[in-house]
Amino acid sequence: VFGARVTDRNSPIFVLDSGLGGLTVVRAILSQLPGERVVYFGDTARLPYGSKTKETVTAFVRQIINWGSRIRPKCVVIACNTASALALPGIKLEAGTMIMAGVIEPGARAAATAAGTDERATIGVIATEATVRSQAYQNAIRRRRRLVHLLVQPTPLLVPMIEEGRTGDDPVVELALRQYLQPMLARGINTLVLGCTHYPLLTPAIQRIVGPNVKVIDSARKCAHDIARRLDDADLLASCADDSAMQKIDAKRLSIYVTDDPDRFQRLAPRFLGFEVDAPTLVPPEVLYHAIDTRASELRPSA
Ligand code: DGL
């Protein structure tokens, strides 16, 4: 459905999320992969995904990838745990040979390793309600460590607080984190997966609360490692010209599209990326519905 694999090394990586959270993946991609260009799609009009059903989230993701396929990306990254959990398995079947990456498998793999082999090893996962309900992390971790102790906690207050611009020093955020993490700490977790791409923004506060002995796994960074490996395997890493401007982690390598309120996105994005961005381009959701219709009629055999 989404077209064949693009074999041009210099084509961009298409990254999508419900809002700002996927920018933590973009930041990791830009810093780990110096030659790459990224096109980012934040579905801000329809956020949050974390409280929606599999059918709805899958339909949204399919529309966005359909729209994005016009830029002929060499790789599509679902930089949202909720969408990776609910939509990626089905969407992969429609993706043909296109390289598709998500955040759950790399996060689960890293957690299974970090937890160690001690029989008391206990992995905690915090994520949106939909990700927890999908059992995606539970299954992905159990595939690697069948007997590890696992505690999974939905943390629905965190995304709205982060999208509102609150940080880890905010007393309301601190209180919510303590409430969510205390029961896991009481049961002795030694590894904690940040199972939502928004959460790395709170890493310092989370690490402070769980203490230095708990390994905190950032699924966004692990996802960027995975993309690097897969592009390299496919011989699709961008050739990084000897051009220092190319190597800088800045807005020149990134274009952003959102479905609502580009100004707000532009204002908040630097907190996720560490640099200022150009004004995002608005793509109203009805354009996405139209993208599907147009492609469907293109695919229909002519009478
Ligand atoms: N960033 C998304 C994730 O990784 C959650 C945001 C939302 O609920 O839309 O799960």
Side-chain angles (χ1 to χ4, degrees):
V1 173
F2 303 128
R5 178 175 295 195
V6 170
T7 51
D8 179 357
R9 285 195 193 122
N10 296 317
S11 65
I13 299 173
F14 185 58
V15 180
L16 66 99
D17 178 45
S18 55
L20 289 150
L23 292 178
T24 57
V25 178
V26 171
R27 183 179 196 163
I29 293 175
L30 293 179
S31 65
Q32 289 177 35
L33 296 171
E36 303 296 340
R37 283 184 305 118
V38 171
V39 175
Y40 184 81
F41 196 101
D43 195 4
T44 45
R46 302 186 293 188
L47 172 128
Y49 283 5
S51 52
K52 296 194 168 67
T53 61
K54 177 174 171 177
E55 289 68 26
T56 300
V57 173
T58 305
F60 291 171
V61 171
R62 186 180 287 120
Q63 289 163 4
I64 295 168
I65 299 178
N66 254 308
W67 180 89
S69 57
R70 74 190 57 198
I71 59 158
R72 300 194 36 76
K74 62 182 172 186
C75 170
V76 173
V77 182
I78 301 189
C80 170
N81 286 267
T82 308
S84 298
L86 303 184
L88 184 57
I91 297 271
K92 251 192 197 149
L93 301 175
E94 302 166 20
T97 52
M98 182 182 278
I99 300 179
M100 301 267 310
V103 269
I104 304 257
E105 286 295 321
R109 196 181 309 130
T113 309
T117 49
D118 189 295
E119 61 178 27
R120 285 163 309 175
T122 305
I123 300 176
V125 179
I126 52 173
T128 64
E129 280 173 324
T131 301
V132 170
R133 220 178 28 237
S134 75
Q135 306 263 335
Y137 267 108
Q138 293 91 316
N139 295 336
I141 292 171
R142 289 253 180 261
R143 265 202 309 281
R144 293 165 171 98
R145 295 285 307 279
R146 205 164 54 84
L147 297 174
V148 78
H149 302 286
L150 204 49
L151 299 171
V152 184
Q153 168 73 50
T155 46
L157 292 175
L158 301 184
V159 168
M161 289 195 292
I162 295 167
E163 288 277 332
E164 206 182 71
R166 291 179 192 254
T167 61
D169 328 323
D170 185 299
V172 181
V173 174
E174 166 99 16
L175 184 65
L177 283 176
R178 285 196 184 279
Q179 292 241 351
Y180 286 140
L181 296 171
Q182 208 53 53
M184 291 189 162
L185 288 172
R187 292 183 54 193
I189 53 165
N190 72 335
T191 306
L192 176 68
V193 181
L194 307 186
C196 170
T197 52
H198 281 71
Y199 301 169
L201 250 79
L202 304 178
T203 301
I206 291 171
Q207 191 75 68
R208 199 171 59 236
I209 292 170
V210 298
N213 296 331
V214 175
K215 291 173 207 126
V216 174
I217 307 289
D218 171 346
S219 60
R221 283 189 38 223
K222 300 300 170 193
C223 172
H225 285 302
D226 184 55
I227 296 160
R229 185 184 53 77
R230 292 176 60 186
L231 288 178
D232 195 21
D233 287 350
D235 200 17
L236 278 176
L237 280 176
S239 35
C240 181
D242 188 21
D243 171 359
S244 51
M246 277 285 277
Q247 311 229 14
K248 257 181 63 197
I249 306 176
D250 66 11
K252 287 193 201 67
R253 292 166 52 204
L254 173 64
S255 16
I256 301 177
Y257 296 82
V258 294
T259 47
D260 193 22
D261 205 346
D263 294 343
R264 182 168 185 277
F265 195 97
Q266 186 181 23
R267 205 170 56 248
L268 292 174
R271 290 187 33 232
F272 290 74
L273 288 166
F275 56 83
E276 303 281 325
V277 294
D278 296 338
T281 305
L282 180 67
V283 180
E286 51 273 25
V287 172
L288 301 177
Y289 291 102
H290 182 69
I292 290 255
D293 292 346
T294 316
R295 282 185 69 89
S297 55
E298 274 166 15
L299 290 172
R300 261 197 297 275
S302 49

